[in-house]
Every structure is written in structure tokens, then in C-alpha cells.
Amino acid sequence: MPRLDGVNEPRELPTAAPDSGGATAARGRLLRTLALDLLTIERDPLPRMSRPRWLAWLPHVVVGYVSVFFGFLTTEQLADHYQVTGGPALVAALLTGTSIMLAMFRPIAGWWIGLLAGGLSAWLIHTHVGAGQTWPWTAGGLIALAPVLLLVALRVPPRVTVTVVGVSVALTGLAEVFWKPEHGQSTVLPALLLYGFAGLLGYALRATRLARGKLVEQETLTEEERAQRTLLEERNRIARELHDVVAHHMSVISIQAQVAPHLVENPSEELKENLAGIRENALEALTELRRVLGVLRSELPDDPANPHHPQPTLAELDGLVDNVRSAGLAVTTEIAGVRRPLTPGVELTAYRIVQEALSNCLRHAPGSRVEVGIAYGPRELHLCIANSAPTRPAPPSHGAGHGLLGMRERAGMLGGELAAGPRPGGGYEVSAVLPMDPETKKD
């Protein structure tokens, strides 16, 4: 409330503390995360080698050998250097070997077992340390923890690696500060150098493995995107070509509907109206088709499939074969059955399949002999393009490598089938079956 004397004292606004609550909460979350990371016993197996395949399990065999070696080494050093024998020494040796073996599958649990083995060894030799002998680590125990730290660093995030190495060195230092024997030799500096190197090496190997995995994943995605893009481009090309076929027939329908009333004597008004409606619908459909064609061709303006280029048919097969022969390929053709005109879509698809197959022979099988077979059946058209083994190495190809994808798309569009693969005696073969009348093809 305002004061009675009319003077209002300014009130100071509360100021934020220098250390905001958000930063404190973030540090708390980080510490909790680190604590959970250091207390986890989650299974995280050591990955196998990707290549060569016959050496896939080599890292596991090496780690197993190392664990057995350091187990025996611990027993030998405790007995010979510190005169410690019996059950406790055997337990320390078993823990040392177990820590390395366990780190292959549960790295953090293996690290804790390694620290326990080191602590047990330090307790056993505390009263047996002579001049020049190391403590709290024995020489073998100091080195035995390094492969454990390496295995940990290979599987955990960098912050956990730093923490594990830091805790190992810090415990070594604390033991020396409070319980170091009179004649014991310090192991803090060797532990710092050795464990730091193991952590850095593990981090580098882990980063390399993750980068390689990301690269493989990216290459896979890129290949899938390239295949999808090729498929879409081929579908656009098919749409443009079939548009020309449909546009031709729609134009014919429009003209026939316009001429039909003049071919009938005294046509009725109902007939004239129906024919006028047919012509109007045909013109509207033709307009829409041309509009769609304009959009498709604007994406690839240099595409030779334009309104001024008639679509090829099997009648032009001889010219296509002659062009391939002039490029140095021996091509023979064989036609079986009664040769007859097909629907425009089937003619165009068959021509394109033969054209793409011959192009593949030129690129990938130079010097080979090629046989082109076309069989006209009662309801289906059979195509077979087979080449022998190449007589000379193929030059590097800069194509997208998805010609077969386009051929399958064309055949599938008509309800047909296409198969391709190597021949038993060498070479390659492409075969296709296309229905004569795609409209009667059942899904």
C-alpha cells in the first residue's frame, strides 16, 4: 500500500543468482547420467570384424588368450615377487582374467572386476613390498587393466571413457597417498600414461568404426535414392510416351465424331447431340493431356520424346540393329510367328526393352555375339536378348546402372514380366513376356 505521507519508496527487484537453476539442474543430470553409465551391467558384445570373414572372431580369440595370460601372470608375480600364495592369490588371478574376458560382453562390469582384482592384489602384497617393487599395482596387474579400459573405450561414449580412466588413476593416487608402504614404488605416472593411451586408442577405434558404419548407411541410402530417382524418371518418360499414343487416338476420336453426322443421311438430332458430346469430351481430354505433357516435358526439356518425334515401334527394329552392328557388335535377329502390328503401348515397350538390352551389351559385353529373338504368340509377345561372354574388358560405365529397373517397370506397366540374369555358359540374357492386349490382362 502507498504510505500516508504520499511518498512511495522504490522497491528493489529481485536479481537472479549468479548460478542459475538451469545450469545446476544440467550439472545434476550430467552427474546422474555418469553414475548410471558407471553402474550399468548392460550387455554390449564386442563387434566382429567385417572383413575378411574368416577372421571375424579373431578379436575375441585374442582377448581370450590375453585374459588367460594375465591370469597366470598374476599368479606367478604374486608368488615369485611378493611371496603371496594360496587361495587369495588364486582368487586375485581369477578376477584379473575374468575382468578381461567379461569386458568383451559387459565392458563396465569388466572394469569394476578389474578394479576389484587390483584392490585385492594391493591388499595381499601390502606387507610384502620390498625396495623397488610397485604398489598398489603389480607390474602385471598394471598392464592387465589396460586391455579392459581399451575394451570399455571401444563401446562407450567419450565422457564415460574419460570418467573410467580418471577414476582408475585417481584410485591409484588415493591408495598411494593414504596406504603406500615404506619401500613401495609409485605407479601413478605409469597408470596415467598407460591408461590414458588405452582410452585414446579405444576412442579413436570407436570413432573410426562409427564413421565407417555411417558411411555404409549413407551409401545404402544414396543407392536407394538413386534407384528411386531412376524409377521416377523412367515412369515420367513412359508417361510422356504413352501420352503421345493416347493423344493420337483422342484426336482420331474427335475427328471421327465430327465427320460421323455427314456420313449418315438425315441424322437425328439425338445422334448429332451424342456425337457432339463425344467430340467435346475428346477435345477436353486432349487438352488436359497436353497440359500434363507440358508439365512433364518441362522437367526434361532436352528429352527427344516430344510432340514432333513419332514413337518407335518394332517395325524400326532393323534400323536399331544396324546401328548396334556399326558400333562393332555382332547381332542376329530371329522372328517367329505371324508378324503383325500391336497396340502402340506394346510396340513402344517392346522396342524400348530391346533398345536398352542392346545398349547394355555395348557397354558391358564388348566383342560378344548378341541374339535378338521375337516371338508372336496368340496372346503374348515374347522377347529374348542374349549375348555371349565378352571378348575384351568392358570400359568403365558412367551410367546410373538401373536400366533393368526401367525395363521391368515398362513390362510391369502392361501386366507383363521381365527376367534378367547371367547365362550358364557365360554372357547375359534378358527375356520378357508382354500381353498382346494389355486391357485384358488380369491383375
Side-chain angles (χ1 to χ4, degrees), residues 99-100 110-111 114-115 137 140-150 168 195:
S99 66
I100 300 175
W111 172 66
L115 290 181
W137 295 104
L142 178 68
I143 301 174
L145 191 63
V148 175
L149 294 176
L150 176 62
S168 302
Y195 299 161

Side-chain angles (χ1 to χ4, degrees), residues 74-75 77-86 88-89 124-126 128:
T74 301
T75 302
Q77 287 192 341
L78 289 178
D80 294 348
H81 295 260
Y82 299 93
Q83 287 74 46
V84 176
T85 58
L124 291 175
I125 67 175
H126 187 269
H128 301 272

Side-chain angles (χ1 to χ4, degrees), residues 364-369 387-392 423 425-428:
H364 305 296
S368 64
R369 297 185 307 277
N387 64 275
S388 62
T391 58
R392 56 181 184 272
R423 305 175 69 185
Y428 204 80

Side-chain angles (χ1 to χ4, degrees), residues 238-254 282-283 285-290 293 311 343-345 348 439:
I238 294 171
R240 291 192 299 271
E241 292 173 345
L242 291 184
H243 166 273
D244 293 343
V245 174
V246 175
H248 168 74
H249 289 292
M250 296 302 296
S251 299
V252 172
I253 292 174
S254 174
L283 291 176
L286 188 59
T287 301
E288 291 298 325
L289 284 173
R290 284 172 177 165
L293 180 66
Q311 299 301 330
T343 59
L348 177 60
E439 293 181 354

Side-chain angles (χ1 to χ4, degrees), residues 278-297:
I278 292 174
R279 182 173 185 274
E280 182 178 354
N281 289 331
L283 291 176
E284 290 181 359
L286 188 59
T287 301
E288 291 298 325
L289 284 173
R290 284 172 177 165
R291 183 179 295 115
V292 172
L293 180 66
V295 174
L296 292 176
R297 285 189 173 131

Side-chain angles (χ1 to χ4, degrees), residues 87-373:
L90 181 60
V91 171
L94 290 175
L95 289 176
T96 301
T98 302
S99 66
I100 300 175
M101 185 67 71
L102 183 61
M104 275 199 303
F105 307 99
R106 302 180 189 273
I108 298 299
W111 172 66
W112 282 113
I113 297 296
L115 290 181
L116 179 61
L120 178 59
S121 298
W123 177 72
L124 291 175
I125 67 175
H126 187 269
T127 57
H128 301 272
V129 177
Q133 291 182 323
T134 59
W135 192 92
W137 295 104
T138 63
L142 178 68
I143 301 174
L145 191 63
V148 175
L149 294 176
L150 176 62
L151 292 172
V152 170
L154 285 174
R155 263 83 57 77
V156 300
R159 67 175 186 277
V160 181
T161 299
V162 172
T163 305
V164 167
V165 172
V167 169
S168 302
V169 176
L171 291 178
T172 302
L174 289 174
E176 291 191 5
V177 170
F178 293 103
W179 299 288
K180 182 180 178 182
E182 181 180 357
H183 303 289
Q185 184 177 347
S186 174
T187 56
V188 173
L189 183 59
L192 177 61
L193 295 177
L194 181 60
Y195 299 161
F197 174 77
L200 286 175
L201 179 61
Y203 166 76
L205 293 176
R206 178 179 181 270
T208 302
R209 177 170 56 87
L210 293 178
R212 188 181 295 113
K214 290 290 184 182
L215 180 61
V216 172
E217 181 182 353
Q218 187 61 38
E219 288 177 349
T220 303
L221 292 176
T222 301
E223 184 65 23
E224 292 177 354
E225 291 174 356
R226 187 183 297 114
Q228 186 66 21
R229 184 170 63 250
T230 302
L231 178 61
L232 293 177
E233 291 174 355
E234 186 65 24
R235 286 181 176 178
N236 281 342
R237 184 179 178 187
I238 294 171
R240 291 192 299 271
E241 292 173 345
L242 291 184
H243 166 273
D244 293 343
V245 174
V246 175
H248 168 74
H249 289 292
M250 296 302 296
S251 299
V252 172
I253 292 174
S254 174
I255 295 173
Q256 289 177 339
Q258 184 178 11
V259 175
H262 302 285
L263 302 179
V264 179
E265 185 177 357
N266 299 322
S268 64
E269 292 298 325
E270 183 178 3
L271 176 62
K272 290 182 180 180
E273 291 179 0
N274 288 335
L275 292 174
I278 292 174
R279 182 173 185 274
E280 182 178 354
N281 289 331
L283 291 176
E284 290 181 359
L286 188 59
T287 301
E288 291 298 325
L289 284 173
R290 284 172 177 165
R291 183 179 295 115
V292 172
L293 180 66
V295 174
L296 292 176
R297 285 189 173 131
S298 66
E299 298 176 357
L300 295 173
D302 297 331
D303 190 11
N306 60 59
H308 307 292
H309 286 74
Q311 299 301 330
T313 64
L314 289 177
E316 303 174 34
L317 181 62
D318 293 337
L320 175 63
V321 172
D322 290 339
N323 289 335
V324 176
R325 286 173 180 158
S326 64
L329 213 59
V331 184
T332 59
T333 60
E334 183 177 353
I335 299 178
V338 180
R339 189 169 184 172
R340 57 190 183 275
L342 308 174
T343 59
V346 176
E347 289 272 5
L348 177 60
T349 299
Y351 181 90
R352 293 301 189 198
I353 290 176
V354 175
Q355 182 184 44
E356 181 63 30
L358 291 176
S359 298
N360 288 340
C361 293
L362 284 173
R363 287 193 297 266
H364 305 296
S368 64
R369 297 185 307 277
V370 184
E371 298 177 357
V372 178

